[in-house]
Amino acid sequence: MKNLSNLYRALLPMVVMALLFSACKKDDPLGPTIPEGPEVEVTHTLKQLKEIYTKAGSPAMYDIEEEIIVGGKVISSDENGNIYKEIYIQDESTGIIVRLDKSELYKSYAIGQMVYVKAEGMQMGSYGGMIQLGGVYNGEFGRLDADLIADHIIAGKQEEAVMPMAIDLDALPSDLDDHLATWVKVENVMFSEEDYEKTWVDADASSSQNRTLTNANGETIIVRTSNFATFGADALPQGSGSVSGILSSFNGTLQLYVNEAADAALEGDRFDDPNAVAPPAGTGTLADPFNIGAARANLDAEEMNWVKGYIVGSVPGKNLSDFQPGVTGANASYTNVAIADNSDETNPSKIFVVKISGFLQDDLNLQDNEDMLNQQVWFYGSVEKYFGEPGMRDAEKYSLDGQVEISAPTFQGQLDEIMGTDLTATAIDFNTFNVVASQSFWSASNGSAYINGHQKGAHESWMISSTTIDIAALTDPVLAVTEELNFFKGLDKVMVLGSTDYTGTGDPSVATWTELTVKGDRAEGGQSMTQFELEANIYVAFKYTCTDDEASSWSVITVEAKEYEGDNGGGDTDEVIFISEYVEGSSNNKAIELYNASAEEVDLSTYSLQIYFNGNTDPGSPIQLSGTIPAGGVYIVAHSQASFANEDYVDMTSGSLTFNGNDPVSLVKGSVMIDLFGPIGDDSNFAKDLTFRRKTSIMEGNTTFSFDDWDEFPKDTFDGLGSHSVNQ
């Protein structure tokens, strides 16, 4: 027995060393040594921490000022490059992203290891709807500085990896938000027919890319992979099965991030992809057009091509998932149509969306042309991303039979007369003439003559008095013109001219014309009255020029020869109200802030907001304002369901404030636009999930929109609402 005890004593140090060596090496004999820290008592679950942030209104950056300690197991790894400078941790309630300004985090925080976060002094924010923990970077929410990581992040014990929760795309859990930033396994899926022969990331990719998983019923989820992933050049697995990963969301679209290629266990047989379009066919000519599959395959091709399909609906929202099959009338989009290979298609994965404007909009939009539903149409244009998928944004012409091309109509030469009685308080009659063939011309309605050549080609369009203006009875004669200018591009594009040698009809460009001298100032936007000097009996003309993309809108309301009445005011300059902030946040977090740069309080009863939805060039119903705005003060209109709608700084709420990131908003006084945010006629997501604040150098409104006038802030930034300043 004594000899056995001596043997135990001799072996004990070796056993201890072996155990220590084994513990240090973990499962991977070549992997890093992960230090095991202490157990730490947590004060909040991760779900409770997230609720603190959402109850605060989900601001762009939330400072954590109370003592909060949370903990969870690590479910991410940056070893293979698909995760960068962040870790995902998960407890029994949910998961969260912890952003850290340090790489190779897998060497310090291994999958399955407990990590504790001392959150006091850290910040919270969100991106695409995903709540995150981090720090401050350049005054905004970002990663926690590397020097502060040790103060806030505690590595705990190594434990077993989290077991993934099974996700069935046909029956997503009702508490799906609680499963964001957690480890899941999406079952019974395969990569889509469109993607399965690709690599995880294209060889020339400059950013992360999406690949689509689908189940047998056509339900899908995106797998998002960084262009820095070490497995990015590997071929995707082509079978069916399950994929494990971190469940994420970007503005409501579910996404999956894998840690490594092996997380995709797809070894079963493929099934028929219900979202697959027919194989590519056609050469892109009118006689042999692309089908939908061929059009998609020619994304970003340099040349324009013909694409054929049946009009099956439209996309009246801002995402492809908003596709409305078979819908016409008021609920259809005015600015796009969706085509498909089959006339009864209802699957948004099989459509090709075409943006329509100008004559295509007039001829084909489903609001006004309900008979176009299920009509086969050929479109000519470039295939490029539209609603995030291959589509057509610049269609130039179309055909209804594959033989006759229908292009924009043009007008040149002598056109319709405009009588003085067609205008307001005007006794002068006019002829109209287009020097170059253009898609629009001077016309009259609602008491004014009007022209706007936006996206209708180059113009040189004239409106000329039918006779000379007789000034014999006047001692100090002027031509008094009440006009309205919007989207102003320069006075040289909207000229008022006089001629003594014009014959009264025919091409005005063969006569001699002189620009009339303005007495006082001529306003460069909005409605105003301008007086021009008259020194002889002359023909007067209103000459409008533009390019396809640079076009003013010009209305001539009253033209009258009369006695001079003093300098022009250049419009109403007493009241200076303009849009100072535009908030397009998550859900109903939408607001418009107005600033009063006037010296006096202003009554807002004659002001309204107008929204131009989904690329429409006509606004929706106005939102009439009320109350007053003090000198140097602000007035805030918020959506009635905004998270901040009940704050004291909100002056008015409206359920009609429903703009999205592709909807310009104008400020209107009476019937005159005085300020504008966003490019009218453009339905791209120019302001999606962003806040824009007017630069302090801007002193007045502008009906010609420019991003240069605005500072941009992340989604759900509304801490600036309630005050504005200008540098006078």
Side-chain angles (χ1 to χ4, degrees):
M1 192 71 177
K2 179 178 179 181
N3 291 336
L4 189 59
S5 298
N6 289 337
L7 178 61
Y8 285 160
R9 284 194 293 273
L11 290 174
L12 182 59
M14 289 183 285
V15 172
V16 171
M17 289 297 293
L19 289 172
L20 287 173
F21 180 78
S22 174
C24 289
K25 298 302 285 185
K26 302 286 181 196
D27 297 327
D28 184 355
L30 300 178
T33 299
I34 305 296
E36 291 197 348
E39 291 188 8
V40 177
E41 184 176 352
V42 302
T43 62
H44 294 68
T45 66
L46 293 176
K47 184 174 181 178
Q48 289 171 332
L49 177 63
K50 286 183 172 181
E51 288 173 345
I52 290 173
Y53 175 74
T54 55
K55 288 178 180 177
S58 301
M61 184 168 69
Y62 175 76
D63 296 316
I64 302 174
E65 298 177 345
E66 58 182 300
E67 184 177 347
I68 295 176
I69 299 175
V70 293
K73 285 186 179 182
V74 177
I75 59 171
S76 63
S77 171
D78 59 358
E79 183 174 7
N80 294 300
N82 200 33
I83 307 295
Y84 181 68
K85 289 192 175 182
E86 60 192 21
I87 59 174
Y88 289 74
I89 62 174
Q90 175 180 343
D91 66 7
E92 293 182 355
S93 65
T94 189
I96 199 168
I97 306 167
V98 185
R99 301 185 64 190
L100 306 173
D101 196 16
K102 182 180 178 181
S103 55
E104 296 187 325
L105 291 167
Y106 73 96
K107 294 181 177 180
S108 302
Y109 314 107
I111 291 176
Q113 186 172 12
M114 282 296 301
V115 166
Y116 302 94
V117 182
K118 297 169 66 176
E120 184 178 8
M122 293 180 67
Q123 284 70 36
M124 297 182 73
S126 67
Y127 180 72
M130 294 290 290
I131 299 175
Q132 307 175 345
L133 261 174
V136 179
Y137 179 75
N138 286 342
E140 299 179 353
F141 177 74
R143 301 185 183 100
L144 183 68
D145 190 271
D147 294 336
L148 299 176
I149 292 176
D151 297 335
H152 293 277
I153 310 299
I154 303 170
K157 292 184 177 181
Q158 180 68 47
E159 299 183 4
E160 294 293 327
V162 171
M163 293 297 294
M165 173 185 170
I167 293 287
D168 181 356
L169 295 181
D170 287 330
L172 294 174
S174 58
D175 57 347
L176 184 64
D177 284 351
D178 292 340
H179 298 289
L180 295 178
T182 70
W183 189 249
V184 302
K185 179 188 287 187
V186 183
E187 299 183 319
N188 303 314
V189 291
M190 67 180 188
F191 282 106
S192 69
E193 195 74 16
E194 186 174 355
D195 287 344
Y196 83 101
E197 294 182 319
K198 298 178 181 178
T199 55
W200 289 85
V201 181
D202 293 341
D204 58 351
S206 59
S207 61
S208 298
Q209 288 192 310
N210 297 338
R211 301 292 186 250
T212 301
L213 289 172
T214 183
N215 68 8
N217 293 321
E219 298 296 331
T220 62
I221 186 172
I222 288 170
V223 176
R224 189 157 176 82
T225 307
S226 169
N227 55 310
F228 293 105
T230 58
F231 54 89
D234 295 348
L236 290 171
Q238 297 188 356
S240 63
S242 64
V243 179
S244 298
I246 301 165
L247 185 65
S248 183
S249 174
F250 184 74
N251 295 331
T253 300
L254 288 181
Q255 299 180 338
L256 203 63
Y257 289 90
V258 301
N259 287 319
E260 56 183 345
D263 290 333
L266 301 173
E267 300 177 352
D269 294 335
R270 289 184 65 81
F271 46 82
D272 291 335
D273 183 353
N275 297 319
V277 297
T283 58
T285 65
L286 182 59
D288 187 26
F290 287 152
N291 67 355
I292 303 304
R296 290 180 174 182
N298 280 271
L299 176 65
D300 294 329
E302 292 184 3
E303 68 277 1
M304 291 188 172
N305 290 284
W306 285 94
V307 180
K308 180 181 71 172
Y310 293 92
I311 295 180
V312 294
S314 64
V315 182
K318 60 181 181 179
N319 298 308
L320 199 62
S321 58
D322 296 322
F323 169 53
Q324 294 292 314
V327 173
T328 60
N331 292 323
S333 172
Y334 187 69
T335 60
N336 67 70
V337 293
I339 63 174
D341 289 327
N342 300 309
S343 61
D344 58 351
E345 189 60 69
T346 61
N347 188 337
S349 297
K350 296 186 177 183
I351 64 174
F352 183 88
V353 186
V354 180
K355 180 180 179 180
I356 52 176
S357 60
F359 80 102
L360 289 102
Q361 190 174 66
D362 295 338
D363 294 353
L364 303 176
N365 84 83
L366 291 178
Q367 287 189 11
D368 302 325
N369 305 282
E370 299 187 11
D371 59 328
M372 292 307 301
L373 184 67
N374 303 130
Q375 171 73 50
Q376 192 173 44
V377 181
W378 287 247
F379 287 99
Y380 182 76
S382 301
V383 179
E384 54 187 314
K385 285 289 184 71
Y386 188 34
F387 290 102
E389 297 293 338
M392 188 176 289
R393 301 176 63 94
D394 64 346
E396 291 189 353
K397 48 191 174 182
Y398 72 96
S399 175
L400 295 176
D401 58 7
Q403 298 180 37
V404 178
E405 299 181 11
I406 302 174
S407 301
T410 58
F411 306 90
Q412 188 173 15
Q414 194 84 35
L415 300 170
D416 296 340
E417 285 185 316
I418 295 177
M419 309 307 292
T421 52
D422 295 327
L423 277 61
T424 301
T426 299
I428 303 169
D429 297 332
F430 298 90
N431 294 314
T432 63
F433 195 100
N434 275 6
V435 174
V436 298
S438 308
Q439 296 177 38
S440 62
F441 51 89
W442 281 101
S443 60
S445 65
N446 300 318
S448 67
Y450 173 79
I451 189 167
N452 183 352
H454 178 63
Q455 292 187 341
K456 294 182 179 179
H459 283 61
E460 184 182 326
S461 301
W462 294 67
M463 182 175 73
I464 316 144
S465 63
S466 301
T467 60
T468 58
I469 307 299
D470 185 1
I471 62 172
L474 302 173
T475 57
D476 191 4
V478 295
L479 186 74
V481 177
T482 301
E483 62 183 348
E484 181 178 335
L485 293 168
N486 289 308
F487 317 113
F488 183 71
K489 297 297 184 291
L491 290 174
D492 60 328
K493 310 297 184 185
V494 286
M495 300 180 71
V496 182
L497 307 170
S499 174
T500 58
D501 62 359
Y502 182 62
T503 62
T505 59
D507 187 350
S509 64
V510 300
T512 303
W513 294 90
T514 303
E515 186 172 4
L516 297 186
T517 301
V518 176
K519 282 181 171 287
D521 298 314
R522 185 182 179 192
E524 298 184 353
Q527 183 173 315
S528 64
M529 191 275 283
T530 304
Q531 298 178 90
F532 300 87
E533 292 182 7
L534 289 176
E535 297 179 347
N537 293 347
I538 58 173
Y539 288 94
V540 296
F542 298 83
K543 178 185 176 184
Y544 174 87
T545 57
C546 73
T547 64
D548 190 52
D549 297 322
E550 293 288 323
S552 301
S553 164
W554 192 9
S555 294
V556 176
I557 302 165
T558 299
V559 182
E560 182 182 10
K562 60 188 297 187
E563 296 287 356
Y564 176 53
E565 295 181 347
D567 287 349
N568 305 315
D572 184 354
T573 58
D574 293 336
E575 298 179 1
V576 184
I577 311 293
F578 60 85
I579 300 170
S580 51
E581 192 155 339
Y582 171 104
V583 176
E584 204 288 302
S586 57
S587 187
N588 292 315
N589 285 342
K590 305 177 191 301
I592 294 293
E593 178 186 86
L594 306 178
Y595 176 72
N596 181 7
S598 314
E600 303 291 339
E601 180 180 82
V602 173
D603 181 355
L604 293 175
S605 60
T606 60
Y607 289 80
S608 64
L609 297 176
Q610 295 186 350
I611 304 173
Y612 294 78
F613 293 103
N614 301 321
N616 205 324
T617 55
D618 294 317
S621 299
I623 300 173
Q624 190 65 49
L625 305 183
S626 61
T628 60
I629 178 172
V634 296
Y635 183 96
I636 295 167
V637 184
H639 190 282
S640 54
Q641 298 299 316
S643 61
F644 48 85
N646 294 322
E647 296 292 337
D648 291 340
Y649 57 74
V650 174
D651 298 282
M652 173 181 171
T653 61
S654 172
S656 298
L657 198 71
T658 55
F659 56 81
N660 292 315
N662 63 341
D663 302 326
V665 178
S666 66
L667 176 64
V668 175
K669 181 181 181 184
S671 61
V672 180
M673 180 192 299
I674 60 174
D675 198 12
L676 174 68
F677 177 86
I680 293 177
D682 183 355
D683 66 347
S684 64
N685 289 317
F686 57 86
K688 180 180 179 182
D689 297 329
L690 294 169
T691 290
F692 286 86
R693 195 170 296 153
R694 210 71 174 254
K695 290 183 177 179
T696 57
S697 59
I698 303 302
M699 303 293 294
E700 60 185 359
N702 191 343
T703 58
T704 300
F705 175 72
S706 172
F707 282 110
D708 294 339
D709 295 345
W710 300 82
D711 292 320
E712 178 182 317
F713 298 88
K715 178 181 178 181
D716 286 331
T717 300
F718 32 79
D719 54 357
L721 288 174
S723 65
H724 185 72
S725 60
V726 294
N727 294 328
Q728 300 189 23

